[in-house]
Amino acid sequence: MKILCVDTSGAVASAAVLDENNVLCEYSINHKKTHSQKLMPMMDQLLKNLELKPDDIDIYSAAIGPGSFTGLRIGVSAVKGIAQALNKPVIGVPTLEGLAFNVYGTGRLICPVIDARNNFVYSAVYSYEEGTSNLKTHVDCQAFHINQLLDMIVEKKQNIIFLGDAVNKFKDIIKQKLGSQASFAAGHMLLQRAGSVGMAAYSRYLSGQTESYIDILPMYVRASQAEQLFKEKCNQ
């Protein structure tokens, strides 16, 4: 079993190949958001280094969102195109779920937070079912104002670990509101990683959650700022 997975949902462009037990090769770069230029060469180099051909991959996977609208389209389109050409199954992994696999096995609640601008974050709350790779969802993915999210977490009165690109932006307010209830993922596990997307994809594969290339689509959660402004003008 070989899974090739990508995550282009944020500032990091990441690609990896996994088998049932290991991340065989993973590339990540957090330097300018030029995913359209970097992703395909990155995937090509992965396969060359592992002496694999595209057809040797059993499943193609991508982070489907939420996140950068343009970045999501790049990653999902790349996986769709290759899977269609090779007639391979695909697995779409929600970005927040992929992030949760960065801290696989933790006994804490897990709260990925992705910057959605204007003091909003894309977020959800998960935990792992003891002794398994199954994620239990406590709060579904949606766009929250940061204060709304933290007020809800305070009420849970449980220890929780935060990760994602909005952590550094909101770390002070998180500490202020949650105190010792909150902890933060280490820097090397803070942002999106394709290897974690691959682990989530493999967990979904074991549950029979494969898709056709036709079915995998970006999950935007809410309309883009341009779409919101357009609707506002139309309603004036």
Side-chain angles (χ1 to χ4, degrees), residues 167-187:
V167 162
N168 291 332
K169 182 175 182 178
F170 295 113
K171 183 177 279 189
D172 288 343
I173 189 173
I174 293 171
K175 287 180 177 178
Q176 180 184 346
K177 287 212 171 194
L178 300 181
S180 61
Q181 186 181 343
S183 62
F184 304 93

Side-chain angles (χ1 to χ4, degrees), residues 115-121 144-147 169-170 222 224-225 228-229:
D115 188 12
R117 300 182 180 180
N118 300 318
N119 290 320
F120 276 78
V121 293
F144 295 94
H145 190 279
I146 186 63
N147 289 326
K169 182 175 182 178
F170 295 113
R222 66 176 186 175
S224 69
Q225 188 173 13
Q228 292 176 42
L229 290 172

Side-chain angles (χ1 to χ4, degrees), residues 44-55:
D44 182 58
Q45 194 61 48
L46 278 174
L47 295 174
K48 285 180 178 177
N49 285 351
L50 294 172
E51 299 179 343
L52 296 172
K53 297 176 182 177
D55 198 42

Side-chain angles (χ1 to χ4, degrees), residues 122-172:
Y122 299 117
S123 188
V125 178
Y126 305 104
S127 67
Y128 280 100
E129 296 178 6
E130 188 173 354
T132 75
S133 62
N134 298 325
L135 279 176
K136 178 181 178 181
T137 301
H138 296 265
V139 177
D140 288 326
C141 168
Q142 57 185 290
F144 295 94
H145 190 279
I146 186 63
N147 289 326
Q148 176 194 7
L149 175 67
L150 297 179
D151 287 344
M152 180 178 59
I153 289 171
V154 166
E155 293 177 359
K156 292 185 176 294
K157 298 180 180 179
Q158 291 179 262
N159 291 331
I160 188 162
I161 185 167
F162 289 85
L163 68 166
D165 64 20
V167 162
N168 291 332
K169 182 175 182 178
F170 295 113
K171 183 177 279 189
D172 288 343

